[in-house]
Amino acid sequence: MRKRPTLKTIGQMAGLSHVAVSKALRDAPDISGATKARVRKIAEEVGYTPNIAARNLYLQRTNSIGMVVPAMEINTAYNRIFNEISAKAAALDFCVLLGSSHRSLQLEERHCRMMVGNQVGALIVAACTSETSHIKAACGATPVIFIGGRTDVEEYVISNDYRYSAELAVEHLTGLGHQRIALLTYGPENRTVLQKEAGFQEAMARRGLTPQFFRTGDVADALGAGAESVEHLICEGTLPTALWCASDYMAVGAIQALKRHGLEVPGDVSVIGHDDLYHCLYPNFSMTTIRLPLAEIGKAAVELAVSLIEHTGQAVQPHQSFRPVMMLRESTGPVRRT
């Protein structure tokens, strides 16, 4: 394996000390322009890249942020929010270390410990569950920023306002004349699910309507959970005229099950998803859904992380909540009068 060129390598070729080479590459004022040009030319020829880890160790600082998420499949928001976070971090000269826990608490904790051991300045964590004691124990004094909404009792939290998601869904459906509306969710129970359920109950109650809930299956198979929910409602004879589903993939499963029974969407049953992930993958599948403010969350998480790392002295807003928006498409329509 070819040895990585160092400041010493360039210094030997240029007849300079490694300190002078370092100053030349940093455009120090006490190095002549000719020397700087010669050093840079040699550095380019030998393929020199600065050892940022060594520099940070010497300066006792870090320019890395850790991020741990439950999964990185295409049917989650985590890959998109990672793109937002990594782009924002790069613009501020920070890099992001990513770990996927595959929804395992043990792997989640292990990723946190390894990242802290690798001297990240802060961690951004989308926790698997609302229980976070293992994460805090693994991170010690390294600040942790929780995103997503599964917890709100930590020191730093950037979340989605899922209660407002419920208000958007109920407002839209009742505006179309629907009164029999069900919320479909899946396990495991966490604060995100509970917020949606509480918000849905409140929004329905404000309109004098009785909320209908059905929770089945698991987030790991949201498509199957949506189909299973519809099968149960049809079998029990309790299928409403509108469904709000915990995620887009759950809504897709619900729509597929409805169509297998010969029911039209939105003619017989209107369906709303959540997250606005599926439409980007399959734009011809025009589903009404609620879009998460991922860009805003990612930007806020990185800005908070950098502020904590650099101790800028700026006022830090520890709890931030962002509101989603309704994306009106073709899976919802007026209630069919009989």
Side-chain angles (χ1 to χ4, degrees):
M1 181 183 293
R2 183 184 172 190
K3 253 184 111 174
R4 177 178 176 174
T6 64
L7 294 175
K8 187 176 180 182
T9 307
I10 299 171
Q12 289 172 344
M13 296 176 69
L16 299 167
S17 70
H18 73 277
V19 174
V21 170
S22 175
K23 284 186 172 185
L25 292 174
R26 288 187 285 111
D27 201 25
D30 58 339
I31 303 293
S32 71
T35 300
K36 290 175 184 176
R38 183 160 56 94
V39 167
R40 287 169 184 158
K41 186 173 185 297
I42 294 171
E44 184 178 347
E45 288 173 350
V46 300
Y48 170 78
T49 55
N51 188 333
I52 296 174
R55 185 186 67 189
N56 286 342
L57 183 63
Y58 175 76
L59 297 173
Q60 293 189 316
R61 70 180 296 274
T62 180
N63 71 329
S64 60
I65 299 168
M67 183 174 182
V68 182
V69 300
M72 285 295 289
E73 297 99 339
I74 58 173
N75 64 330
T76 72
Y78 305 120
N79 55 342
R80 195 182 301 175
I81 200 167
F82 172 71
N83 290 337
E84 299 288 349
I85 284 174
S86 60
K88 176 64 178 178
L92 297 173
D93 292 327
F94 277 75
C95 66
V96 182
L97 280 66
L98 175 66
S100 174
S101 68
H102 299 281
R103 298 190 171 85
S104 161
L105 299 185
Q106 291 75 22
L107 188 53
E108 184 174 62
E109 179 181 356
R110 184 171 176 79
H111 274 309
C112 290
R113 289 192 184 280
M114 288 191 294
M115 289 183 183
V116 170
N118 278 284
Q119 301 297 303
V120 299
L123 275 92
I124 299 170
V125 179
C128 291
T129 68
S130 297
E131 168 53 45
T132 59
S133 59
H134 61 294
I135 295 173
K136 289 181 285 187
C139 294
T142 302
V144 184
I145 301 162
F146 289 92
I147 61 172
R150 289 197 174 124
T151 177
D152 71 342
V153 296
E154 313 304 340
E155 189 172 3
Y156 305 111
V157 177
I158 298 174
S159 62
N160 306 300
D161 188 345
Y162 290 111
R163 288 177 182 264
Y164 187 67
S165 293
E167 175 61 28
L168 289 176
V170 173
E171 179 181 48
H172 175 58
L173 292 171
T174 54
L176 293 170
H178 295 278
Q179 294 188 340
R180 294 173 50 235
I181 306 169
L183 167 59
L184 308 184
T185 62
Y186 38 57
E189 181 179 288
N190 55 49
R191 188 173 176 273
T192 297
V193 170
L194 295 175
Q195 276 190 94
K196 289 175 182 175
E197 291 178 347
F200 180 66
Q201 184 165 4
E202 292 164 3
M204 292 288 282
R206 279 195 295 271
R207 293 163 174 82
L209 301 175
T210 301
Q212 185 178 349
F213 299 92
F214 192 78
R215 189 193 299 175
T216 189
D218 190 272
V219 64
D221 182 19
L223 205 71
E228 184 181 343
S229 297
V230 167
E231 294 292 345
H232 176 87
L233 292 170
I234 290 175
C235 182
E236 295 293 316
T238 56
L239 183 68
T241 64
L243 302 173
W244 175 38
C245 301
S247 72
D248 289 342
Y249 265 61
M250 188 176 203
V252 171
I255 290 171
Q256 290 175 340
L258 289 166
K259 290 184 174 180
R260 283 196 296 269
H261 284 271
L263 296 168
E264 295 179 2
V265 176
D268 295 305
V269 182
S270 286
V271 179
I272 298 180
H274 198 283
D275 301 341
D276 196 29
L277 300 176
Y278 202 90
H279 185 70
C280 296
L281 299 171
Y282 305 99
N284 293 329
F285 200 98
S286 188
M287 182 170 63
T288 298
T289 188
I290 296 170
R291 173 180 289 176
L292 295 175
L294 300 181
E296 293 90 337
I297 290 171
K299 180 175 180 287
V302 172
E303 289 177 349
L304 177 54
V306 171
S307 176
L308 292 170
I309 292 169
E310 296 187 339
H311 307 290
T312 60
Q314 296 177 350
V316 172
Q317 188 176 349
H319 283 213
Q320 300 178 56
S321 180
F322 292 88
R323 285 188 162 186
V325 295
M326 176 68 75
M327 305 303 295
L328 297 178
R329 299 195 182 106
E330 299 176 7
S331 63
T332 54
V335 65
R336 177 172 285 175
R337 302 300 177 183
T338 56

